[in-house]
Amino acid sequence: MTPARRIATLFGIGHLRPAPGTWGSAAAVALGVAIDHAFGFPAFALATLAVIPLGYWATARAVAGSADKDPSEIVIDEVAGQWIALLFPAAAFWSRGMEDWALAAWPGWVTPFLFFRLFDIWKPGIVGRADARGTARGTMEDDLWAGVFAGIATVAAAGLWHGVMGR
């Protein structure tokens, strides 16, 4: 297996069945929370910024010469998108001085996971348009957009839960 294929499949996690995208997303949450816990939000933000171009590179290399530009075992796109979704609560907690939020505030990582899976599967609007390209670039971009949508939905849900409902 080439280095690009190892990265694109997240070291084989993309080969897990059923639902390799969900396995990839779950692994991304665990890894993202671990990075944030061990090294803090700035390191997690930098890791997110690094995984995006890495994902573009690995995906393009892994599908080069193949008719299928979005095979199910490619899950580095889920990592990038899921980490974008996780950045929203991580940034909110970090800005309030809560360094170890992931252990104390589990909805802070469960909610973006669920919203990310929803938007990644549903593919509304620009998410679906990126996916419809049928290119390695589109493979990455649909998940990046799903991550943005999931992050916004997470913030909105937290606002409703804590603000409107007074919890």
Side-chain angles (χ1 to χ4, degrees), residues 6-30:
R6 267 190 232 104
I7 292 167
T9 63
L10 196 57
F11 302 93
I13 289 174
H15 293 289
L16 295 175
R17 299 288 183 263
T22 301
W23 286 108
S25 295
V29 167

Side-chain angles (χ1 to χ4, degrees), residues 2-164:
T2 67
R5 193 110 181 117
R6 267 190 232 104
I7 292 167
T9 63
L10 196 57
F11 302 93
I13 289 174
H15 293 289
L16 295 175
R17 299 288 183 263
T22 301
W23 286 108
S25 295
V29 167
L31 187 55
V33 166
I35 291 168
D36 190 274
H37 175 70
F39 305 106
F41 173 75
F44 176 53
L46 287 173
T48 302
L49 290 174
V51 81
I52 294 169
L54 181 65
Y56 276 110
W57 172 82
T59 300
R61 293 274 196 279
V63 301
S66 171
D68 186 1
K69 300 301 180 191
D70 193 4
S72 62
E73 68 271 11
I74 303 293
V75 295
I76 193 66
D77 53 331
E78 268 80 17
V79 175
Q82 187 66 72
W83 282 7
I84 288 170
L86 279 174
L87 278 178
F88 284 76
F93 286 116
W94 181 70
S95 71
R96 287 167 180 76
M98 293 179 68
E99 291 294 328
D100 219 4
W101 64 273
L103 300 178
W106 62 267
W109 55 267
V110 171
T111 305
F113 170 77
L114 294 174
F115 277 128
F116 176 74
R117 294 309 302 144
L118 171 71
F119 291 119
D120 188 30
I121 293 166
W122 175 27
K123 299 193 185 309
I126 196 167
V127 180
R129 286 194 298 278
D131 182 64
R133 288 183 187 166
T135 64
R137 186 173 182 88
T139 297
M140 280 296 295
E141 288 175 0
D142 79 307
D143 285 5
L144 299 178
W145 282 113
V148 170
F149 284 13
I152 293 168
T154 298
V155 169
L160 282 171
W161 184 254
H162 296 289
V164 175

